[in-house]
Amino acid sequence: MTLKRQWKLIVVLLVGLIGLICQFVFHAPTLFNIGSLDFPIQSILIDIIGVIMVIALMSEIFHDWKNGRYGVDILAVIAVVSTMLIGDEWASWMIMVMATGGQTLEDYATGQADKELRSLLNNSPTFANKMENGGIVKVQAEDLKIGDHVIVKPSQQVPVDGRIVKGTSRFDQSSLTGESAPVFKKPGDDLMSGSINGDAAVEVEATKEAKDSEYQSIVTLVRSAQSKPAKFVRMADRYAVPFTIISLVIGVAAWIFSKDPTRFAEVMVVASPCPLLIAAPVALISGMSSMSNSHIIVKSGPTIEKLANAKTFAFDKTGTLTKNQLVIDQIVPVSDKITKEQLQSLAASVEQQSTHVIASSLVKVTDKKLIKPAHNIKETTGQGVEGTVGDHVIKVGRTEFTDPNNKMNINFGSTTITISIDGKYAGYITFKDQIRPETPSTLVRLRRQGAKHIMMLTGDHKDAADKIGKAAGVDDIRYQLLPDEKIKAIRNVKKENRPVVMTGDGINDAPSLTAADVGIAMGAKGASAASESADAVIMVDDLSKINDAVAISKHTMKVANVDVLTAITIIICVELIAFTGIIPAIWGAIVQECIDLLSISLALLAKTKPKNPKQTGEVATN
C-alpha cells in the first residue's frame, strides 16, 4: 500500500503529542515572549506545522486549479489560518488532523500499486538459440538482428517475430490473438514473438528485431495506455464550489454582524470539509472490502465509481465468454458403415496418450467405456497420431496425414481432425469453443443494471466469433483483432456510452484492459499480465461476478453520495449555529470530530449488500 501523503498525518500527530506533553507535563513552558505576549512551545510547534501544512495544501490547490479542478480543501486552509490568527492552536491542530487524515484515507482508497508491467516484463522472451558457425549459441533476444536464424525448441517462446525456414509444429497463440486452438505452422509461415511452440523444434529466420516484435509492442501499448489514465474527480469536489460559497457567505456575514473576526474563525472551523473528505474514501474502502468478500479484488477507489456508472462492457472471447476448453461440434462419418459413436471411439482411443489440446478435449468428452486399448501409437508432431485399435490401423489428425493424396479433396481448419481406418478416409470431427453457462444471463443482467452497449473483441475468426457472440447475446461482435485494434475499438466508443469496462484474461488483453476506463481480469488461474494490468480481478472462474462487481459499486456510490450530502447538510446547519457565536472554535472542532464519526459510520454501510438481490438481479447468490 502506497500512502503518498501519510507523512503529513504522522507529523501532525507527532507535533500534537509533543504539544500535549509540553502543556500538561511541563505546564506549557514559554519559549519566548514579546512584551506582554507569551509564546509557549506547543503554540510555536503547532503554528510552525500549521504554516507547513497550509503551504503544502495550497500547492495542491494551485495544481488542481491549473487543471480546472476546484476542491473543498480551500476551506480547510482558511480554517487553519483563521484559528492560528485568533490564537486557538488546538482548534487549528484538530483541523490539521482531520484534513491530513482525510487525505491519507483518500490515498488508501484510490492508490493503485504500480505493478501493471511486472508480469509482462517477467514473461517477455529474454533469450534465443541462435544458429552460428554451424552450432547453436544462446544469446539475448534483444541482440538478434533481422536475418538471424534461431532454433525454437519445444515448449519455448518464439523470441522475435520471424518466418519458419525448416520444420513444422503447432504454436499456442492464445495469449496474443485469443485463438482457442494451437495453430499449425509450416515453412514459409510467419510467427509472432511470445507464442509458445508445441513439441517439435523449428528453425526460424528473424524478420524483426525484438524491440519491434509483437510481444514487445504489447508492453509498449500498455505503457502508452497507462500514460493517459482516465481522469477522476474526487466526489466531495463536485460540491466544492457551492459548499465553499455558502460557507464563506455565512462566515463573512457572522464577522460583519458581530464585528468580531473570531466569529469568522468559529464558522470556518465548523465549515472544515473533513467529513466530506473522509466520507467517500471510507465508503470506497468498505466497497472494496465487500468486493473482496465476493472474490473480486479491486485495486483502486475510482474503479468503483466508474463501474457504478459503466455504460459499455467489452469482452474478450476465449477464456472470458467461453470456458477455454474445446467441445465437439460435429461428428461426420463418411458413410453409413460407421456410426458417429464408433468414429469418436476410434479417434479417442488413439488420442488418449496425446497431450495436444484437441486430443485432450476429445478424450475428456468421450465416455470412458468407448475408449479402447490402443497399440503401436506413433505421433507425428504437427500432423497427427497413428495407432492400432483391435485389428485396425487408425490415423487421426490433419487431412494430409490421414489422407496423404487428399483423394477426398477436403481441407479443414485448425479445430478439425480427420480419421482414416486402414488407410481409408472414415470421416471428421469438428470442435468449437464452449460458452460459459453463465455468460448469457450475465449479459442480460448487465443490461438490467444499465449497460447500453456490449461488445466482444476477439482475435478469433468470424465464424467462431459469430457463434459465441450470438449465443451470448452480444450486440457488437468484432473479430480477428490484434491488441492495438482492440485498443482502438475501446477508445472509439462514443462519449455518451462511457465509462467502458473491458474484461479479458490473456496477455493480448493487457493493453485493452489498461486502455479501458475499467479493466477486469479473469484471474482465477493465477497471476498474469491481464491481472496485473487490470483495475479489478475476479479470483474465481465465474463471469457472473461482474454483475456482483457492478451491483456492489452502485450500492457503494449510493452510500457515499448519501453520506456526503448528509455531511454537507449537517455542517451547514452547524455553521448557522456558529453564526450566533455560541460555539467556540475548539468546540467547533470537537463538533467536527463528531460529524466525522457519523460520516464514517454511514460510510461503513457500504459493506452491506443491496437489499432484495433476487428481485433486483444485481448480486448473484453465492
Side-chain angles (χ1 to χ4, degrees), residues 379-450:
E379 185 165 3
T380 303
T381 302
Q383 294 295 318
V385 179
E386 176 183 348
T388 303
V389 180
D391 297 327
H392 301 284
V393 176
I394 311 299
K395 284 187 175 183
V396 181
R398 297 175 62 82
T399 305
E400 56 265 35
F401 176 72
T402 58
D403 183 22
N405 298 321
N406 199 15
K407 295 177 182 178
M408 301 299 296
N409 194 29
I410 298 175
N411 290 294
F412 296 104
S414 60
T415 54
T416 301
I417 56 172
T418 57
I419 301 99
S420 68
I421 303 174
D422 296 326
K424 295 181 180 180
Y425 176 74
Y428 65 89
I429 301 175
T430 63
F431 296 81
K432 64 180 180 179
D433 271 347
Q434 185 178 8
I435 191 171
R436 290 176 181 268
E438 73 271 19
T439 293
S441 61
T442 296
L443 302 194
V444 168
R445 290 173 63 200
L446 283 177
R447 289 189 173 91
R448 193 182 304 161
Q449 290 173 299

Side-chain angles (χ1 to χ4, degrees), residues 545-560:
K545 286 295 178 181
I546 291 178
N547 297 129
D548 288 15
V550 173
I552 292 170
S553 296
K554 288 181 179 294
H555 178 60
T556 299
M557 296 310 300
K558 180 179 178 180
V559 169

Side-chain angles (χ1 to χ4, degrees), residues 248-500:
L248 288 175
V249 167
I250 294 173
V252 171
W255 186 350
I256 292 172
F257 281 103
S258 67
K259 299 180 181 180
D260 183 359
T262 301
R263 192 70 58 82
F264 175 79
E266 291 170 351
V267 173
M268 288 299 100
V269 168
V270 176
S272 177
C274 301
L276 278 65
L277 299 176
I278 290 174
V282 172
L284 293 174
I285 294 169
S286 299
M288 292 166 73
S289 175
S290 182
M291 290 276 199
S292 179
N293 291 334
S294 294
H295 309 290
I296 306 162
I297 304 301
V298 175
K299 299 180 181 179
S300 65
T303 297
I304 292 180
E305 181 176 16
K306 294 169 190 171
L307 264 175
N309 298 312
K311 292 182 176 61
T312 294
F313 288 81
F315 295 89
D316 175 49
K317 179 178 74 69
T318 306
T320 304
L321 295 178
T322 70
K323 286 185 174 182
N324 201 19
Q325 294 177 350
L326 297 175
V327 294
I328 293 176
D329 184 18
Q330 292 179 303
I331 301 176
V332 183
V334 72
S335 69
D336 295 336
K337 294 181 180 180
I338 184 170
T339 65
K340 293 182 179 181
E341 186 178 89
Q342 290 173 329
L343 191 66
Q344 181 179 350
S345 173
L346 291 172
S349 299
V350 175
E351 295 272 38
Q352 61 186 302
Q353 295 181 19
S354 175
T355 58
H356 189 275
V357 63
I358 293 181
S360 59
S361 297
L362 173 62
V363 173
K364 188 173 182 179
V365 300
T366 301
D367 191 323
K368 291 183 179 179
K369 295 179 181 178
L370 296 178
I371 300 178
K372 310 297 182 182
H375 308 283
N376 304 319
I377 293 178
K378 299 177 183 178
E379 185 165 3
T380 303
T381 302
Q383 294 295 318
V385 179
E386 176 183 348
T388 303
V389 180
D391 297 327
H392 301 284
V393 176
I394 311 299
K395 284 187 175 183
V396 181
R398 297 175 62 82
T399 305
E400 56 265 35
F401 176 72
T402 58
D403 183 22
N405 298 321
N406 199 15
K407 295 177 182 178
M408 301 299 296
N409 194 29
I410 298 175
N411 290 294
F412 296 104
S414 60
T415 54
T416 301
I417 56 172
T418 57
I419 301 99
S420 68
I421 303 174
D422 296 326
K424 295 181 180 180
Y425 176 74
Y428 65 89
I429 301 175
T430 63
F431 296 81
K432 64 180 180 179
D433 271 347
Q434 185 178 8
I435 191 171
R436 290 176 181 268
E438 73 271 19
T439 293
S441 61
T442 296
L443 302 194
V444 168
R445 290 173 63 200
L446 283 177
R447 289 189 173 91
R448 193 182 304 161
Q449 290 173 299
K452 294 183 177 180
H453 184 201
I454 296 180
M455 300 190 296
M456 183 176 76
L457 309 177
T458 179
D460 218 338
H461 297 287
K462 183 180 187 301
D463 290 343
D466 283 342
K467 285 182 180 179
I468 297 299
K470 290 176 181 177
V474 177
D475 49 61
D476 186 355
I477 302 169
R478 306 190 189 189
Y479 49 87
Q480 288 183 298
L481 301 181
L482 291 174
D484 60 332
E485 293 172 319
K486 289 186 178 183
I487 284 184
K488 289 178 183 177
I490 290 170
R491 288 181 173 168
N492 288 336
V493 172
K494 295 180 179 179
K495 186 177 180 180
E496 58 268 24
N497 287 331
R498 289 185 173 273
V500 179

Side-chain angles (χ1 to χ4, degrees), residues 560-572 595 598-599 602:
N561 276 296
V562 169
D563 197 357
V564 169
L565 291 172
T566 300
I568 288 175
T569 302
I570 293 174
I571 290 172
I572 291 176
I595 300 174
L598 176 62
S599 295
L602 290 175

